[in-house]
């Protein structure tokens, strides 16, 4: 298709590869030279009067045509993955200023299907740049042109790596977030990166503690289908239309081919047309080029009552007689089969083959548990879950992620208001629909790392915080996470002291400008149930952020999202009817100054 554009009365064709609302600087089409006297338009001027705050933002709109759909007239997920990868790559290359390749795509949960004639709107922008990799956030929605209805489809996070000549890595410039939303995403991107790196260890740890015997589910009236009957193997020859602008196989094309064979495998189990519900992390292990043969393999690993997991991988080789194959990509996809009312149907059972089949069967069960943990702990809104989340070893990664991310989100909020100031101590408040949050901050003559070490150990907090009676270390989860049982001096309405079971999560700065973080939230432990002698209290989100101001000075800030039981105490201090907050923070400063030299001696002894 061509866009016919009038330039001084002449019709000039301009090839359009895709339509991006703010103009694709990453497009392969060369920029048009301006005519003498013609004013330069700011990027994004065609889309809106003001350019986006984030210069890496790319907006893509695609009209869903019959050639993009499956047999039901719905947009093929493979086609959507191509568009997502294209938009994300263009955003990454805007920031890097050089070619970028897809390293991974995080979990994607599809909320709705998209029909012919509707418009897919994709917005992608770089959330954070690390050394040579960057996280790109992608939001996908659809628009019904007839009704004007807009609806969210999915949200995804992709990791891209910048490449220089001959595939060498390129050091990326840092990205400075501008808006509140960008600051939140920038801050939490470090936590998501950490979670990606430990994902394999989480799965391995869960399998180690699970029974090794494969227990097949019994389902009334259902005969187990041998998993081998669902196996699919297909080969694709990589041609020039399948390549990106660097000559490598387009990542979106590989993902689309993988989705195709996974759908076939799922169909062989249920003898129906399945719907893709979720994808668990595409991980690109290496490139492939034009002329390569890609072998795509898929098999149903496990079928639960209403969903099934399909494992799919892609391998590449150069010539037909080649023996060695390169593992290019792998992913796990969750499918459901919907009835006429849109409800999931009961699926047949799967009988795994011995050996690798049983291993895949067990791993699928473990991944399902991890997905549920992620959905419950990470994805859900805070108002939809209890304050204290059950703790167990298998969901520790996601509870730690949620703990730190909640605090970082609170820190990045834009509408903090200075409520009180007393000497060096400043108190700010943040009023939201359902929460009143506060932060107290001051500058202290202590190195940020030393303040971090002292404040992250709750066993010393009673030395400066009069509300703490004691804190017992219950479980040293790892180097970054500790669980404490805290007893408070504060009496409840029942005239009993309060106690808490608190997860403390520590994070050192990921890069220059990041604070040291100590985040607190309530968890429940079977070993420490609520007792008659105490009123069990809960904390939703609280903790310290410590920013270095110089080698020997740091800004220490304490944040708390007040729960109902704590609200009266907060409002009393905000209104100036009490100075307990200021007095407590002044005591904290004295504690830090008193103990900083002792800490140096202890570290030297180690």
């Amino acid at each position: 298709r061509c866009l016919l554009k009038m330039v001084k009365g002449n019709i000039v064709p301009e090839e359009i590869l895709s339509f991006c609302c703010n103009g694709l600087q990453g497009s392969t089409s060369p920029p048009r030279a301006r005519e003498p006297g013609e004013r330069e338009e700011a990027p994004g001027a065609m889309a809106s009067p003001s350019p986006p705050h984030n210069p890496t933002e790319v907006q893509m709109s695609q009209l869903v045509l019959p050639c993009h759909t499956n047999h039901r007239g719905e947009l093929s997920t493979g086609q959507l993955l191509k568009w997502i990868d294209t938009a994300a790559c263009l955003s990454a290359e805007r920031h890097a200023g050089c070619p970028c390749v897809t390293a991974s795509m995080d979990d994607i949960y599809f909320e709705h299907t998209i029909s012919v004639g509707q418009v897919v709107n994709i917005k992608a922008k770089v959330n954070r740049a690390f050394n040579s990799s960057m996280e790109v956030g992608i939001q996908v929605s659809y628009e019904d042109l007839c009704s004007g209805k807009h609806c969210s489809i999915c949200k995804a996070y992709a990791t891209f790596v910048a490449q220089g000549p001959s595939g060498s890595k390129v050091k990326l410039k840092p990205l400075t977030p501008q808006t509140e939303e960008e600051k939140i995403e920038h801050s939490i991107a470090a936590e998501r990166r950490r979670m990606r790196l430990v994902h394999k260890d989480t799965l391995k740890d869960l399998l180690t503690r699970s029974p090794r015997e494969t227990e097949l589910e019994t389902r009334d009236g259902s005969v187990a289908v041998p998993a081998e009957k669902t196996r699919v193997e297909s080969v694709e020859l990589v041609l020039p239309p399948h390549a990106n602008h660097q000559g490598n196989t387009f990542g979106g094309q590989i993902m689309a081919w993988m989705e195709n064979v996974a759908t076939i495998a799922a169909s062989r189990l249920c003898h129906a047309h399945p719907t893709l519900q979720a994808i668990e992390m595409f991980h690109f292990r290496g490139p492939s080029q034009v002329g390569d043969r890609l072998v795509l393999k898929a098999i149903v690993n496990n079928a639960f009552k209403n969903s099934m997991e399909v494992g799919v991988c892609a391998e590449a080789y150069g010539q037909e007689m080649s023996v060695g194959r390169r593992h290019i990509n792998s992913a796990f996809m969750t499918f459901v089969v919907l009835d006429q009312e849109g409800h999931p149907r009961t699926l047949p059972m799967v009988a795994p083959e011995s050996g690798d089949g049983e291993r895949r069967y067990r791993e699928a069960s473990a991944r399902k548990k991890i997905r549920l943990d992620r959905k419950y702990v990470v994805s859900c809104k805070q108002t939809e879950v209890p304050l204290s989340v059950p703790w167990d070893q298998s969901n520790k990664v996601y509870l730690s992620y949620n703990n730190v991310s909640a605090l970082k989100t609170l820190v990045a909020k834009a509408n903090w208001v200075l409520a009180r100031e007393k000497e060096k101590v400043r108190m700010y408040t943040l009023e939201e629909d359902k929460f009143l949050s506060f932060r107290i901050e001051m500058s202290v003559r202590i190195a940020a790392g030393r303040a971090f070490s002292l404040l992250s150990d709750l066993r010393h907090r009673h030395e400066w915080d009069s509300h703490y009676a004691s804190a017992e270390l219950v479980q040293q989860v790892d180097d970054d996470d500790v669980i404490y049982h805290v007893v408070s001096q504060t009496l409840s309405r029942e005239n009993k002291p309060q106690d808490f079971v608190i997860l403390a999560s520590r994070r050192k700065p990921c890069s220059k400008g990041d604070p040291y973080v100590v985040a607190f939230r309530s968890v429940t432990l079977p070993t420490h149930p609520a007792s008659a002698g105490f009123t069990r209290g809960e904390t939703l989100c609280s903790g310290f952020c410590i920013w270095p101001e110089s080698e020997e000075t740091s800004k220490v800030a304490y944040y708390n999202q007040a729960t109902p039981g704590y609200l009266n105490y907060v409002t009393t201090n905000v209104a100036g009817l009490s100075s307990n907050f200021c007095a407590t923070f002044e005591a904290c400063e004295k504690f830090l100054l008193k103990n900083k030299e002792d800490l140096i001696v202890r570290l030297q002894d180690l």
Side-chain angles (χ1 to χ4, degrees):
R1 290 181 298 176
C2 290
L3 175 69
L4 301 181
K5 187 168 183 179
M6 296 294 297
V7 180
K8 285 196 171 183
N10 297 319
I11 298 179
V12 180
E14 292 189 359
E15 185 179 358
I16 301 300
L17 300 179
S18 60
F19 176 72
C20 295
C21 295
N22 61 343
L24 286 181
Q25 294 178 356
S27 169
T28 55
S29 299
R32 178 179 64 83
R34 296 198 309 274
E35 294 292 330
E38 183 182 0
R39 290 187 303 173
E40 180 180 2
E41 292 181 342
M46 292 179 64
S48 60
S50 58
H53 290 286
N54 191 326
T56 70
E57 183 175 304
V58 167
Q59 297 185 39
M60 176 185 288
S61 293
Q62 296 282 358
L63 180 64
V64 179
L65 302 174
C67 61
H68 301 140
T69 62
N70 56 25
H71 60 282
R72 292 191 297 264
E74 298 169 351
L75 175 64
S76 160
T77 307
Q79 180 61 62
L80 179 58
L81 291 171
K82 289 183 187 180
W83 289 337
I84 288 174
D85 192 51
T86 300
C89 181
L90 291 173
S91 175
E93 291 187 349
R94 279 193 176 182
H95 180 69
C98 63
C100 296
V101 294
T102 313
S104 66
M105 185 83 71
D106 285 7
D107 300 0
I108 306 175
Y109 296 91
F110 299 98
E111 300 176 25
H112 300 282
T113 56
I114 310 172
S115 302
V116 171
Q118 294 179 332
V119 174
V120 178
N121 294 313
I122 302 174
K123 182 170 72 173
K125 58 183 175 180
V126 176
N127 289 331
R128 182 162 186 161
F130 300 98
N131 289 328
S132 60
S133 67
M134 68 199 96
E135 180 192 273
V136 180
I138 308 113
Q139 293 180 330
V140 183
S141 62
Y142 80 77
E143 174 187 356
D144 190 301
L145 296 176
C146 297
S147 65
K149 178 182 178 182
H150 291 255
C151 193
S152 174
I153 298 299
C154 64
K155 188 174 183 178
Y157 297 98
T159 302
F160 282 81
V161 176
Q163 289 194 329
S166 304
S168 60
K169 291 186 177 180
V170 175
K171 185 172 178 61
L172 295 169
K173 60 187 177 185
L175 181 73
T176 303
Q178 301 296 326
T179 66
E180 178 181 310
E181 178 189 0
E182 289 173 1
K183 290 177 181 178
I184 291 172
E185 293 290 354
H186 180 272
S187 183
I188 301 177
E191 281 303 298
R192 285 190 289 263
R193 182 173 184 244
R194 183 177 185 271
M195 196 163 62
R196 290 181 202 112
L197 296 175
V198 301
H199 177 70
K200 284 186 178 179
D201 293 335
T202 303
L203 179 64
K204 188 184 298 182
D205 183 60
L206 180 57
L207 289 170
T208 301
R209 292 181 292 103
S210 301
R212 290 193 173 273
E213 295 76 18
T214 301
E215 297 182 3
L216 297 179
E217 181 185 350
T218 58
R219 210 168 289 164
D220 294 340
S222 178
V223 178
V225 177
E228 276 300 303
K229 287 191 174 183
T230 70
R231 186 181 293 275
V232 179
E233 183 169 321
S234 179
V235 65
E236 298 282 354
L237 175 62
V238 181
L239 300 173
H242 303 141
N244 59 21
H245 50 297
Q246 303 166 52
N248 295 326
T249 313
F250 174 42
Q253 180 63 69
I254 296 176
M255 291 189 283
W257 281 335
M258 293 173 70
E259 185 268 338
N260 178 60
V261 294
T263 302
I264 296 172
S267 301
R268 288 180 175 175
L269 174 72
C270 60
H271 299 292
H273 298 296
T275 298
L276 182 58
Q277 188 180 55
I279 300 175
E280 179 178 311
M281 192 179 288
F282 287 102
H283 179 67
F284 288 87
R285 301 170 184 270
S288 64
Q289 292 80 32
V290 172
D292 278 349
R293 283 74 169 166
L294 258 61
V295 178
L296 302 132
K297 301 177 180 179
I299 190 171
V300 176
N301 291 332
N302 201 336
F304 308 101
K305 184 176 181 181
N306 300 118
S307 65
M308 69 185 100
E309 181 195 274
V310 178
V312 56
C313 72
E315 299 174 342
Y317 62 95
Q319 299 295 331
E320 285 299 334
M321 301 304 294
S322 298
V323 178
R325 293 181 177 180
R326 310 186 308 275
H327 188 178
I328 298 298
N329 202 335
S330 58
F332 302 96
M333 304 188 184
T334 302
F335 289 86
V336 296
V337 178
L338 304 176
D339 59 21
Q340 292 182 346
E341 285 75 34
H343 300 132
R345 280 171 36 186
T346 301
L347 299 175
M349 296 181 297
V350 165
E353 60 180 344
S354 59
D356 282 346
E358 292 178 340
R359 174 186 57 80
R360 290 194 298 265
Y361 186 93
R362 292 179 62 245
E363 288 179 350
S365 297
R367 277 188 292 271
K368 182 179 181 182
K369 188 207 183 302
I370 290 172
R371 280 193 295 271
L372 291 173
D373 286 339
R374 274 200 296 246
K375 192 171 183 180
Y376 179 66
V377 177
V378 177
S379 303
C380 58
K381 298 177 181 177
Q382 291 176 333
T383 54
E384 296 173 352
V385 297
L387 301 187
S388 295
V389 178
W391 169 270
D392 68 64
Q393 197 70 12
S394 65
N395 68 0
K396 66 179 183 180
V397 173
Y398 312 111
L399 278 173
S400 179
Y401 166 89
N402 178 270
N403 191 15
V404 176
S405 298
L407 180 58
K408 286 185 173 182
T409 300
L410 188 62
V411 172
K413 295 285 187 179
N415 298 322
W416 289 97
V417 176
L418 180 63
R420 290 190 66 188
E421 186 170 8
K422 183 180 178 183
E423 296 180 355
K424 295 189 297 181
V425 181
R426 295 171 298 279
M427 182 177 183
Y428 297 81
T429 59
L430 175 67
E431 296 184 39
E432 298 176 292
D433 290 340
K434 297 186 178 181
F435 298 105
L436 172 64
S437 304
F438 67 89
R439 95 169 184 254
I440 308 175
E441 65 181 35
M442 69 185 304
S443 294
V444 183
R445 292 188 59 81
I446 183 173
R450 295 172 193 166
F452 172 69
S453 298
L454 290 167
L455 295 176
S456 59
D457 190 345
L458 289 184
R459 290 173 296 182
H460 297 292
R461 186 154 171 174
H462 69 278
E463 297 179 28
W464 58 270
D465 190 343
S466 60
H467 303 95
Y468 270 57
S470 64
E472 170 198 1
L473 194 155
V474 175
Q475 185 177 343
Q476 181 78 46
V477 180
D478 52 36
D479 291 340
D480 295 323
D481 297 281
V482 184
I483 298 178
Y484 295 94
H485 179 231
V486 174
V487 176
S488 172
Q489 300 273 22
T490 306
L491 297 180
S492 65
R493 293 178 181 177
E494 294 81 13
N495 204 32
K496 294 188 293 186
Q498 289 186 303
D499 72 335
F500 302 80
V501 177
I502 292 178
L503 169 65
S505 301
R506 302 157 26 111
R507 297 289 188 273
K508 293 182 179 179
C510 179
S511 57
K512 187 177 180 180
D514 287 352
Y516 290 83
V517 175
V518 188
F520 306 122
R521 74 157 298 152
S522 291
V523 295
T524 57
L525 276 179
T527 56
H528 287 71
S531 61
F534 297 94
T535 298
R536 177 57 52 90
E538 294 181 307
T539 178
L540 175 62
C541 173
S542 63
F544 292 95
C545 284
I546 305 159
W547 286 270
E549 293 183 326
S550 67
E551 291 186 1
E552 291 298 327
T553 307
S554 39
K555 182 175 76 172
V556 179
Y558 175 73
Y559 294 79
N560 195 309
Q561 198 169 59
T563 53
Y566 201 52
L567 194 59
N568 182 57
Y569 178 65
V570 175
T571 53
T572 301
N573 278 265
V574 171
L577 300 177
S578 173
S579 296
N580 283 343
F581 277 172
C582 296
T584 299
F585 226 57
E586 288 168 353
C588 177
E589 179 189 25
K590 293 177 181 177
F591 165 80
L592 292 174
L593 296 176
K594 174 185 175 183
N595 289 277
K596 70 174 182 178
E597 299 302 332
D598 294 340
L599 179 64
I600 296 174
V601 173
R602 290 201 302 270
L603 292 175
Q604 289 173 344
D605 292 340
L606 293 175

